[in-house]
Amino acid sequence: QPSPVVLHGALLLTQFCWGSAAIFNKLGLSGAGVLPLLFALVREATAAPLLFALLFWARRERQGAASSSSPSDGGAAPLAADPGAPAPPSSDEGHLQPSIFARLLPGVFIFLDQFCSLTGISLADPISAAAWQPSQVVFTILICGCMGMERLTPRKLFGASLTVAGALCLVLLSADGSSRNERSPQLGQVFFAINCLASSLEVVLWRRLLRHATSPLAHFAVMAESYLVAACLMAIACVGVSFSPAVVNFFCPECHGSAWHLPPPALLAIGYSVVVQTIVGYLAQAWALRYAESSLASLYATAQSIMAAALCCLLLALDFNPGGALKWPGREMLGGVLIVAGLLVAECDCRRAGPRSPHGRTRT
């Protein structure tokens, strides 16, 4: 069991990775000038092979550890010693083999999640993107309640109401064109809402896929498959959009109608997103969840907007703002406060319910 300082440090590192990535994504999208679909395509096409490579390495390490600790008499014993595997073959094998559609569907929601997140950042501001993220927990609770996976309570509904009020503040209080690289802040907030809803659906589907899994690497395999599906969908969408210069110019005026415009400065933002946001952020969260409750990890999502705002203010104070992509936080951040309040109310109710409502807790 790690010390509390190390555990909370890992959770805080996760939120820094995700909050700071929103800032650097904005610099790559609006500062350098990249179509959000192309940005996402390069990121997912890079992240998917890395995830499969890490999965292959983890499986090799696990097999090596199992063979080194296996008994020396006989060869059948190591095969039956997989931790967590049921002793006899399961009679309901159908639950362990989901359909191809069920395995591909999380990748569809990752596609929507990443596309809407990057498009929202391109149209609006990165601090709003980070402020939206805690709403994923409340969305997940509502989805689980509607699917009968969890009982809805007045506290959860009140938390959802606060989240909706916060979302309306973010949309309605966003200033039109407060930064020259914010072309449509209100539309950007709509994309953020779809981003968070898709992310919640993605987590719910992941939970249903992994509910009967016995391998400790099952979550890693599902995530790698989902990112591969998302990368394929990004490629199809990017090719489709490239035939419409008007659409390309709306989402990326700096691209001048070319969907494949990828200036060298944008590669730094993409690399930061792949390494820090996808790999370091996920691994830090996965490690922390081995020792911390999911509800504690969910509460740390409130720090994401703080990290993004602090980094944004630091860069502006240092006069580092390529292309005028960043702006100082504005009055719309009141919506972020209401979203955080909604998360706290919903999580307090989950803690009161105890282990009876495991599906209401989600990883952000």
Side-chain angles (χ1 to χ4, degrees):
Q1 182 73 18
S3 67
V5 174
V6 175
L7 182 59
H8 288 273
L11 291 170
L12 204 59
L13 173 64
T14 300
Q15 301 308 319
F16 173 78
C17 290
W18 294 339
S20 62
I23 301 297
F24 286 103
N25 288 348
K26 178 66 175 180
L27 293 175
L29 289 165
S30 298
V34 183
L35 184 70
L37 275 171
L38 180 61
F39 190 103
L41 171 60
V42 176
R43 186 175 75 178
E44 309 308 336
T46 306
L50 285 176
L51 288 170
F52 274 107
L54 288 173
L55 176 62
F56 177 77
W57 174 80
R59 283 176 172 171
R60 288 288 299 270
E61 289 292 315
R62 179 172 171 77
Q63 290 172 357
S67 61
S68 63
S69 61
S70 62
S72 57
D73 54 350
L79 296 177
D82 189 10
S90 176
S91 58
D92 56 348
E93 193 69 16
H95 291 296
L96 302 178
Q97 299 294 333
S99 65
I100 295 296
F101 177 77
R103 294 179 71 92
L104 296 181
L105 198 54
V108 176
F109 287 115
I110 286 185
F111 163 72
L112 288 174
D113 168 14
Q114 301 298 325
F115 167 67
C116 291
S117 173
L118 291 171
T119 302
I121 290 175
S122 177
L123 296 175
D125 66 284
I127 302 179
S128 293
W132 268 97
Q133 301 315 303
S135 68
Q136 295 178 19
V137 180
V138 181
F139 284 149
T140 304
I141 291 174
L142 290 176
I143 293 170
C144 289
C146 294
M147 296 177 65
M149 300 169 63
E150 179 178 324
R151 186 172 62 89
L152 291 177
T153 65
R155 281 177 178 265
K156 292 174 184 175
L157 293 176
F158 179 62
S161 300
L162 288 175
T163 300
V164 171
L168 290 174
C169 287
L170 284 171
V171 173
L172 299 177
L173 297 181
S174 296
D176 288 313
S178 56
S179 169
R180 68 184 181 89
N181 277 313
E182 290 182 28
R183 295 178 295 280
S184 182
Q186 284 83 5
L187 182 59
Q189 304 299 331
V190 174
F191 274 103
F192 290 145
I194 300 173
N195 150 230
C196 292
L197 183 59
S199 181
S200 297
L201 289 168
E202 156 201 330
V203 169
V204 172
L205 288 173
W206 271 351
R207 284 188 178 276
R208 293 181 69 89
L209 282 174
L210 296 171
R211 184 168 49 185
H212 298 285
T214 57
S215 170
L217 297 177
H219 67 290
F220 218 145
V222 170
M223 183 178 181
E225 292 173 356
S226 300
Y227 268 83
L228 179 61
V229 172
C232 294
L233 292 175
M234 289 291 182
I236 295 172
C238 201
V239 171
V241 168
S242 66
F243 291 104
S244 176
V247 175
V248 173
N249 283 329
F250 175 76
F251 290 111
C252 179
E254 301 85 358
C255 296
H256 305 293
S258 173
W260 310 108
H261 181 256
L262 187 63
L267 295 177
L268 295 176
I270 295 175
Y272 187 92
S273 180
V274 170
V275 176
V276 177
Q277 180 181 14
T278 305
I279 305 299
V280 178
Y282 172 77
L283 291 179
Q285 178 83 325
W287 178 84
L289 284 175
R290 295 176 58 190
Y291 309 101
E293 293 183 356
S294 299
S295 56
L296 177 62
S298 297
L299 289 176
Y300 262 92
T302 60
Q304 193 170 150
S305 57
I306 299 174
M307 295 293 183
L311 179 60
C312 181
C313 293
L314 176 63
L315 293 178
L316 289 173
L318 296 175
D319 200 24
F320 181 79
N321 190 13
L326 303 178
K327 68 161 190 174
W328 294 96
R331 58 179 183 173
E332 68 274 6
M333 287 301 101
L334 173 63
V337 175
L338 292 176
I339 288 176
V340 168
L343 169 63
L344 293 175
V345 171
E347 280 298 330
C348 286
D349 188 80
C350 284
R351 291 194 174 198
R352 284 164 57 91
R356 294 173 296 175
S357 322
H359 297 290
R361 300 172 184 152
T362 180
R363 179 181 61 83
T364 53

